[in-house]
Amino acid sequence: GKAALFDHLVGVSGVPILIQNHDPKAIIDTVRQIAPTFGAIKLEDIKAPECFEIEDVLDAELNIPVMHDDQHGTAVVVLAALLNATRFSGLMLRKSVIGVIGLGAAGMGISKLLMSYGVKKVIGTDLDAEACERLNTAGGQSCSLDDVMKNSNIVIATTGCPGLIKPDMVRQGSVILALSNPNPEIEPEEAMSYGASFAADGKSVNNALGFPGIFRGALNVRATRINNKMKIAAAQTIAKYAEETELVPSLLHPEVHQAVTAAVERAALESGVIRPWE
């Protein structure tokens, strides 16, 4: 499916390589061996914490972009959504307290990109103590679910647990993105009726708004990696193409993927992460 979207949206030929192994070393070794055949590597459906080790090792060793879409594709589209959601609600994103519920691949990817964008305070919670410690190490602050709900201007939930956020937990005037599919942590209409200034679920926050243009742009300029500057440029571009009543544009918007491609190319060139033509 992702290969079909690559082809249809940006003309990239994606080849699915299935690795029947859950050992991070086996996955790293396999990708390392096949990498010379490809211009970039998109990691898919690898859970935390293994995904962090796999991406870090490959990103350090290979001279082509490596991106784990469940982390960074999600983070890019969430940042785009928040740029518009805060505009609708009157909040200032960088000065907001952002709470992340669920610190797996998506939650950590979102947290790290938001901090890179300039958000001063990211707090989060997870049932796994190691996940909470990863957030602390990255510069965030772990706390309880109740503390996240009480102290956050913006709440982002990526837990896979429908109904986790109870209506009486909603802070007045907050923004809530309950992103678990197909059933969110709280229905947007319910969150709004209990005082949220803006709420949305995961149906509109689609990774496919981000990854095609990000990879096309990286490939066009022979980037060696996909860095935060490129991801932020992609998010800002996606946000600009949303219609007045939209959080983010439609996946099938005729111009958004080409615009993301151009923005990522510029960001890669400006940040110097390109290989010279041979």
Coordinates of all heavy atoms in Angstrom, one line a residue, residues 15-88:
V15 N 9.9 -0.4 -3.1 CA 9.9 -1.9 -3.1 C 9.8 -2.4 -1.7 O 10.7 -2.2 -0.8 CB 11.3 -2.4 -3.7 CG1 11.2 -4.0 -3.8 CG2 11.5 -1.9 -5.1
P16 N 8.7 -3.1 -1.4 CA 8.5 -3.7 0.0 C 9.5 -4.8 0.2 O 9.5 -5.8 -0.6 CB 7.1 -4.2 0.0 CG 6.4 -3.5 -1.2 CD 7.5 -3.3 -2.2
I17 N 10.3 -4.7 1.3 CA 11.2 -5.8 1.7 C 10.7 -6.3 3.1 O 10.7 -5.6 4.1 CB 12.6 -5.3 1.8 CG1 13.1 -4.7 0.5 CG2 13.5 -6.5 2.2 CD1 13.2 -5.6 -0.6
L18 N 10.2 -7.5 3.1 CA 9.6 -8.1 4.4 C 10.7 -8.9 5.1 O 11.3 -9.8 4.5 CB 8.4 -9.0 4.1 CG 7.3 -8.3 3.2 CD1 6.1 -9.2 3.0 CD2 6.9 -7.0 3.8
I19 N 10.9 -8.6 6.3 CA 12.0 -9.3 7.1 C 11.2 -10.1 8.2 O 10.6 -9.5 9.1 CB 13.0 -8.3 7.8 CG1 13.6 -7.5 6.7 CG2 14.0 -9.1 8.6 CD1 14.5 -6.4 7.2
Q20 N 11.3 -11.4 8.1 CA 10.6 -12.3 9.0 C 11.5 -12.5 10.3 O 11.9 -13.7 10.5 CB 10.2 -13.6 8.4 CG 9.2 -14.4 9.1 CD 8.6 -15.5 8.4 OE1 9.0 -15.8 7.2 NE2 7.7 -16.3 8.9
N21 N 11.7 -11.5 11.0 CA 12.5 -11.6 12.2 C 12.3 -10.4 13.1 O 12.1 -9.3 12.6 CB 14.0 -11.6 11.8 CG 14.9 -12.2 12.9 OD1 14.9 -11.8 14.0 ND2 15.7 -13.2 12.5
H22 N 12.2 -10.6 14.4 CA 12.0 -9.6 15.4 C 13.2 -9.1 16.1 O 13.2 -8.2 16.9 CB 10.9 -10.0 16.4 CG 9.6 -10.3 15.9 ND1 8.7 -9.3 15.6 CD2 9.0 -11.4 15.4 CE1 7.6 -9.8 15.1 NE2 7.7 -11.1 15.0
D23 N 14.4 -9.7 15.7 CA 15.6 -9.4 16.4 C 16.2 -8.1 15.7 O 16.4 -8.0 14.5 CB 16.6 -10.5 16.2 CG 18.0 -10.3 16.8 OD1 18.2 -9.2 17.4 OD2 18.9 -11.1 16.7
P24 N 16.4 -7.0 16.5 CA 16.9 -5.8 15.9 C 18.2 -6.0 15.1 O 18.4 -5.4 14.1 CB 17.2 -4.9 17.1 CG 16.2 -5.4 18.2 CD 16.1 -6.9 17.9
K25 N 19.1 -6.9 15.6 CA 20.4 -7.1 14.9 C 20.1 -7.7 13.5 O 20.8 -7.3 12.6 CB 21.3 -8.0 15.7 CG 22.7 -8.2 15.1 CD 23.5 -9.1 16.0 CE 24.9 -9.2 15.4 NZ 25.0 -9.8 14.1
A26 N 19.2 -8.6 13.4 CA 18.9 -9.2 12.2 C 18.3 -8.2 11.2 O 18.7 -8.2 10.0 CB 17.9 -10.4 12.3
I27 N 17.5 -7.3 11.7 CA 16.9 -6.3 10.8 C 18.0 -5.3 10.4 O 18.1 -4.9 9.2 CB 15.8 -5.5 11.6 CG1 14.6 -6.5 11.9 CG2 15.2 -4.3 10.8 CD1 13.6 -6.0 12.8
I28 N 18.8 -4.9 11.3 CA 19.9 -4.0 11.0 C 20.8 -4.6 9.9 O 21.2 -3.9 8.9 CB 20.7 -3.6 12.3 CG1 19.9 -2.7 13.2 CG2 22.0 -2.9 11.9 CD1 20.4 -2.5 14.6
D29 N 21.2 -5.8 10.2 CA 22.1 -6.5 9.2 C 21.5 -6.6 7.8 O 22.2 -6.4 6.8 CB 22.5 -7.9 9.7 CG 23.4 -7.8 10.9 OD1 24.1 -6.8 11.1 OD2 23.6 -8.9 11.6
T30 N 20.2 -7.0 7.8 CA 19.5 -7.1 6.5 C 19.5 -5.8 5.7 O 19.9 -5.7 4.5 CB 18.1 -7.6 6.7 OG1 18.1 -8.9 7.4 CG2 17.4 -7.8 5.4
V31 N 19.1 -4.7 6.4 CA 19.0 -3.4 5.8 C 20.4 -2.9 5.4 O 20.6 -2.4 4.3 CB 18.3 -2.4 6.7 CG1 18.3 -1.0 6.0 CG2 16.9 -2.8 7.0
R32 N 21.4 -3.2 6.2 CA 22.8 -2.8 5.9 C 23.2 -3.4 4.6 O 23.9 -2.8 3.7 CB 23.7 -3.1 7.0 CG 25.1 -2.7 6.8 CD 26.0 -3.3 7.9 NE 25.8 -2.8 9.2 CZ 25.5 -3.5 10.3 NH1 25.3 -4.8 10.2 NH2 25.4 -2.9 11.5
Q33 N 22.9 -4.7 4.4 CA 23.3 -5.4 3.2 C 22.6 -5.0 1.9 O 23.2 -5.0 0.9 CB 23.1 -7.0 3.5 CG 24.0 -7.6 4.6 CD 25.4 -7.4 4.3 OE1 25.9 -7.6 3.1 NE2 26.2 -7.1 5.3
I34 N 21.3 -4.7 2.0 CA 20.6 -4.3 0.8 C 20.7 -2.8 0.5 O 20.3 -2.4 -0.6 CB 19.1 -4.7 0.9 CG1 18.4 -3.9 2.0 CG2 19.0 -6.2 1.2 CD1 16.9 -4.2 2.0
A35 N 21.1 -2.0 1.4 CA 21.1 -0.5 1.3 C 21.7 0.0 0.0 O 21.2 0.9 -0.6 CB 21.7 0.1 2.5
P36 N 22.8 -0.6 -0.5 CA 23.4 -0.1 -1.8 C 22.5 -0.1 -3.0 O 22.7 0.6 -4.0 CB 24.7 -1.0 -2.0 CG 25.0 -1.4 -0.6 CD 23.7 -1.6 0.1
T37 N 21.5 -0.9 -2.9 CA 20.5 -1.0 -4.0 C 19.5 0.2 -4.1 O 19.0 0.5 -5.1 CB 19.7 -2.3 -3.9 OG1 20.6 -3.4 -3.8 CG2 18.8 -2.5 -5.1
F38 N 19.4 0.9 -2.9 CA 18.3 1.8 -2.8 C 18.8 3.2 -2.5 O 19.9 3.4 -2.1 CB 17.4 1.4 -1.6 CG 16.7 0.1 -1.9 CD1 17.2 -1.1 -1.3 CD2 15.6 -0.1 -2.7 CE1 16.7 -2.3 -1.5 CE2 15.0 -1.3 -2.9 CZ 15.5 -2.4 -2.3
G39 N 17.9 4.2 -2.8 CA 18.2 5.6 -2.6 C 17.8 6.1 -1.2 O 18.3 7.1 -0.7
A40 N 16.9 5.3 -0.5 CA 16.5 5.7 0.8 C 15.8 4.5 1.4 O 15.4 3.6 0.7 CB 15.6 6.9 0.8
I41 N 15.7 4.5 2.7 CA 15.1 3.3 3.5 C 13.9 3.9 4.3 O 14.2 4.8 5.1 CB 16.1 2.6 4.4 CG1 17.3 2.1 3.6 CG2 15.4 1.5 5.2 CD1 16.9 0.9 2.6
K42 N 12.8 3.3 4.2 CA 11.6 3.7 5.0 C 11.3 2.5 5.9 O 10.9 1.4 5.4 CB 10.4 4.0 4.1 CG 9.2 4.4 4.9 CD 8.1 4.9 3.9 CE 6.8 5.2 4.6 NZ 6.2 4.0 5.2
L43 N 11.5 2.6 7.2 CA 11.2 1.6 8.2 C 9.7 1.6 8.5 O 9.2 2.7 8.7 CB 12.0 1.7 9.4 CG 13.6 1.7 9.2 CD1 14.3 2.1 10.5 CD2 14.0 0.4 8.7
E44 N 9.1 0.5 8.6 CA 7.7 0.4 8.8 C 7.3 -0.7 9.8 O 7.9 -1.8 9.8 CB 7.0 0.1 7.5 CG 5.5 0.1 7.5 CD 4.9 1.5 7.4 OE1 5.6 2.4 6.9 OE2 3.8 1.7 7.9
D45 N 6.3 -0.4 10.7 CA 5.7 -1.4 11.6 C 6.8 -2.0 12.5 O 6.8 -3.3 12.6 CB 4.9 -2.4 10.8 CG 3.7 -1.8 10.2 OD1 3.2 -0.8 10.7 OD2 3.2 -2.4 9.2
I46 N 7.7 -1.3 13.1 CA 8.6 -1.8 14.0 C 8.3 -1.1 15.4 O 8.3 0.2 15.5 CB 10.1 -1.5 13.6 CG1 10.4 -2.1 12.2 CG2 11.1 -2.1 14.7 CD1 11.7 -1.7 11.7
K47 N 8.1 -1.8 16.4 CA 7.6 -1.3 17.7 C 8.7 -0.7 18.5 O 9.9 -1.0 18.3 CB 6.8 -2.3 18.5 CG 7.7 -3.5 19.0 CD 6.9 -4.5 19.8 CE 7.7 -5.6 20.3 NZ 8.7 -5.3 21.3
A48 N 8.3 0.1 19.5 CA 9.3 0.6 20.4 C 9.5 -0.5 21.5 O 8.6 -1.3 21.8 CB 8.7 1.9 21.1
P49 N 10.7 -0.6 22.1 CA 11.9 0.3 21.9 C 12.8 -0.1 20.7 O 13.8 0.6 20.4 CB 12.6 0.2 23.2 CG 12.4 -1.2 23.7 CD 11.0 -1.5 23.2
E50 N 12.6 -1.3 20.1 CA 13.5 -1.7 19.1 C 13.7 -0.7 17.9 O 14.8 -0.6 17.4 CB 13.0 -3.1 18.5 CG 13.1 -4.3 19.5 CD 11.8 -4.4 20.4 OE1 11.0 -3.4 20.4 OE2 11.7 -5.4 21.1
C51 N 12.6 0.0 17.6 CA 12.7 0.9 16.5 C 13.7 2.0 16.7 O 14.3 2.4 15.7 CB 11.3 1.5 16.2 SG 10.7 2.6 17.6
F52 N 13.9 2.4 17.9 CA 14.9 3.5 18.2 C 16.3 3.0 17.9 O 17.1 3.7 17.3 CB 14.8 4.0 19.7 CG 13.4 4.4 20.0 CD1 12.7 3.8 21.1 CD2 12.7 5.4 19.4 CE1 11.4 4.2 21.4 CE2 11.4 5.8 19.7 CZ 10.8 5.2 20.7
E53 N 16.6 1.8 18.4 CA 18.0 1.3 18.2 C 18.2 1.1 16.7 O 19.3 1.4 16.1 CB 18.1 0.0 18.9 CG 19.5 -0.7 18.6 CD 19.5 -2.2 19.2 OE1 18.6 -2.6 19.8 OE2 20.5 -2.8 18.9
I54 N 17.2 0.4 16.0 CA 17.4 0.1 14.6 C 17.6 1.4 13.8 O 18.6 1.5 13.0 CB 16.2 -0.6 14.1 CG1 16.1 -2.0 14.7 CG2 16.2 -0.8 12.6 CD1 14.8 -2.8 14.5
E55 N 16.8 2.4 14.0 CA 17.0 3.6 13.2 C 18.3 4.3 13.5 O 19.0 4.8 12.6 CB 15.8 4.6 13.5 CG 15.9 5.8 12.6 CD 14.8 6.8 12.9 OE1 14.4 7.0 14.0 OE2 14.3 7.5 11.9
D56 N 18.6 4.4 14.8 CA 19.8 5.1 15.2 C 21.1 4.5 14.6 O 22.0 5.2 14.0 CB 20.0 5.1 16.7 CG 19.0 6.1 17.4 OD1 18.4 6.9 16.7 OD2 18.9 6.0 18.6
V57 N 21.2 3.2 14.6 CA 22.3 2.5 14.0 C 22.4 2.7 12.5 O 23.4 3.0 12.0 CB 22.3 1.0 14.4 CG1 23.4 0.2 13.6 CG2 22.5 0.8 15.9
L58 N 21.3 2.5 11.9 CA 21.3 2.6 10.4 C 21.5 4.0 10.0 O 22.2 4.3 9.0 CB 19.9 2.1 9.8 CG 19.7 0.6 10.0 CD1 18.3 0.2 9.5 CD2 20.7 -0.2 9.1
D59 N 20.9 5.0 10.7 CA 21.1 6.4 10.3 C 22.6 6.8 10.4 O 23.1 7.6 9.6 CB 20.3 7.3 11.2 CG 20.0 8.6 10.6 OD1 19.8 8.7 9.4 OD2 20.0 9.6 11.4
A60 N 23.3 6.2 11.4 CA 24.7 6.5 11.6 C 25.6 5.9 10.6 O 26.6 6.4 10.2 CB 25.1 6.1 13.0
E61 N 25.2 4.7 10.2 CA 26.1 3.9 9.3 C 25.9 4.1 7.8 O 26.8 4.0 7.0 CB 25.9 2.4 9.6 CG 26.4 1.9 10.9 CD 26.4 0.4 11.1 OE1 26.1 -0.3 10.1 OE2 26.7 -0.1 12.2
L62 N 24.7 4.4 7.4 CA 24.4 4.5 6.0 C 24.5 6.0 5.5 O 24.2 6.9 6.2 CB 23.0 4.0 5.7 CG 22.7 2.5 6.1 CD1 21.3 2.1 5.7 CD2 23.8 1.6 5.5
N63 N 24.8 6.1 4.2 CA 24.9 7.5 3.7 C 23.6 7.8 2.8 O 23.7 8.7 1.9 CB 26.2 7.7 2.8 CG 26.1 6.8 1.6 OD1 25.4 5.9 1.4 ND2 27.0 7.2 0.6
I64 N 22.5 7.1 3.1 CA 21.3 7.4 2.5 C 20.2 7.7 3.6 O 20.4 7.2 4.7 CB 20.8 6.3 1.5 CG1 20.7 5.0 2.3 CG2 21.7 6.2 0.3 CD1 20.1 3.9 1.5
P65 N 19.1 8.4 3.3 CA 18.1 8.6 4.4 C 17.5 7.4 4.9 O 17.2 6.4 4.1 CB 17.1 9.5 3.7 CG 17.8 10.1 2.5 CD 18.8 9.0 2.0
V66 N 17.3 7.3 6.2 CA 16.6 6.2 6.9 C 15.5 6.9 7.7 O 15.9 7.7 8.6 CB 17.5 5.4 7.7 CG1 16.7 4.3 8.5 CG2 18.6 4.7 6.9
M67 N 14.3 6.6 7.5 CA 13.2 7.2 8.4 C 12.2 6.1 8.8 O 11.7 5.3 8.0 CB 12.5 8.3 7.6 CG 11.6 9.1 8.5 SD 10.8 10.5 7.6 CE 9.2 9.8 7.1
H68 N 11.9 6.1 10.1 CA 10.9 5.2 10.6 C 9.6 6.0 10.6 O 9.3 6.9 11.4 CB 11.2 4.8 12.1 CG 10.2 3.9 12.7 ND1 9.9 4.0 14.0 CD2 9.5 2.9 12.2 CE1 9.0 3.0 14.3 NE2 8.8 2.3 13.2
D69 N 8.7 5.6 9.7 CA 7.5 6.4 9.4 C 6.5 6.5 10.6 O 5.9 7.5 10.8 CB 6.7 5.8 8.2 CG 5.7 6.8 7.6 OD1 6.0 8.0 7.6 OD2 4.6 6.3 7.3
D70 N 6.5 5.4 11.4 CA 5.6 5.4 12.6 C 6.0 6.5 13.6 O 5.1 7.0 14.3 CB 5.5 4.0 13.2 CG 5.0 3.0 12.3 OD1 4.0 3.3 11.6 OD2 5.4 1.8 12.4
Q71 N 7.3 6.8 13.6 CA 7.7 7.9 14.5 C 7.6 9.2 13.7 O 6.9 10.1 14.2 CB 9.2 7.7 14.8 CG 9.6 6.7 15.8 CD 11.0 6.8 16.2 OE1 11.5 7.7 16.8 NE2 11.8 5.8 15.7
H72 N 8.3 9.4 12.7 CA 8.6 10.7 12.1 C 7.5 11.1 11.1 O 7.2 12.3 11.0 CB 10.0 10.7 11.4 CG 11.0 10.2 12.4 ND1 11.3 10.9 13.5 CD2 11.8 9.2 12.3 CE1 12.3 10.3 14.2 NE2 12.6 9.2 13.5
G73 N 6.9 10.2 10.3 CA 5.8 10.6 9.5 C 4.6 11.0 10.3 O 4.0 12.1 10.0
T74 N 4.3 10.3 11.4 CA 3.3 10.7 12.3 C 3.6 12.1 12.9 O 2.7 13.0 13.0 CB 3.1 9.7 13.4 OG1 2.8 8.4 12.8 CG2 2.0 10.1 14.3
A75 N 4.8 12.3 13.3 CA 5.2 13.5 14.0 C 5.0 14.7 13.1 O 4.5 15.8 13.5 CB 6.6 13.4 14.5
V76 N 5.4 14.5 11.8 CA 5.3 15.6 10.9 C 3.8 16.1 10.7 O 3.5 17.3 10.7 CB 5.9 15.2 9.5 CG1 5.5 16.2 8.4 CG2 7.4 15.2 9.6
V77 N 3.0 15.1 10.5 CA 1.6 15.5 10.3 C 0.9 16.0 11.5 O 0.1 16.9 11.5 CB 0.8 14.3 9.7 CG1 -0.6 14.6 9.3 CG2 1.5 13.8 8.4
V78 N 1.3 15.5 12.7 CA 0.8 16.0 14.0 C 1.3 17.5 14.1 O 0.5 18.3 14.5 CB 1.3 15.2 15.2 CG1 1.0 15.9 16.5 CG2 0.5 13.8 15.2
L79 N 2.5 17.8 13.8 CA 3.0 19.2 13.9 C 2.2 20.0 13.0 O 1.8 21.1 13.4 CB 4.5 19.2 13.6 CG 5.1 20.7 13.6 CD1 4.8 21.4 14.9 CD2 6.6 20.6 13.3
A80 N 1.9 19.6 11.8 CA 1.1 20.4 10.8 C -0.3 20.6 11.4 O -0.8 21.7 11.4 CB 1.0 19.6 9.5
A81 N -0.9 19.6 12.0 CA -2.2 19.7 12.6 C -2.2 20.7 13.7 O -3.1 21.5 13.9 CB -2.7 18.3 13.1
L82 N -1.1 20.7 14.6 CA -1.1 21.6 15.7 C -0.9 23.0 15.3 O -1.3 23.9 15.9 CB 0.0 21.1 16.7 CG -0.3 19.9 17.5 CD1 0.9 19.5 18.4 CD2 -1.5 20.0 18.3
L83 N -0.1 23.2 14.2 CA 0.1 24.6 13.7 C -1.3 25.2 13.4 O -1.5 26.4 13.6 CB 1.0 24.6 12.5 CG 2.4 24.3 12.7 CD1 3.2 24.0 11.4 CD2 3.1 25.4 13.5
N84 N -2.2 24.4 12.8 CA -3.5 24.9 12.5 C -4.5 24.9 13.7 O -5.2 25.9 13.9 CB -4.2 24.1 11.4 CG -3.6 24.5 10.0 OD1 -3.1 25.7 9.8 ND2 -3.5 23.6 9.1
A85 N -4.4 23.9 14.5 CA -5.3 23.8 15.7 C -5.0 24.9 16.7 O -6.0 25.5 17.3 CB -5.1 22.4 16.4
T86 N -3.8 25.3 16.9 CA -3.4 26.4 17.8 C -3.9 27.7 17.2 O -4.3 28.7 17.9 CB -1.9 26.4 18.1 OG1 -1.2 26.4 16.9 CG2 -1.6 25.3 19.0
R87 N -3.8 27.8 15.9 CA -4.4 29.0 15.2 C -5.9 29.2 15.4 O -6.4 30.2 15.8 CB -4.0 29.0 13.7 CG -4.5 30.2 12.9 CD -3.9 30.2 11.5 NE -4.2 29.0 10.8 CZ -5.3 28.8 10.1 NH1 -6.3 29.7 10.1 NH2 -5.5 27.6 9.5
F88 N -6.6 28.0 15.3 CA -8.0 28.0 15.5 C -8.4 28.4 17.0 O -9.4 29.1 17.2 CB -8.6 26.7 15.2 CG -8.5 26.2 13.8 CD1 -8.4 24.9 13.5 CD2 -8.4 27.2 12.7 CE1 -8.3 24.5 12.1 CE2 -8.3 26.8 11.4 CZ -8.2 25.4 11.1

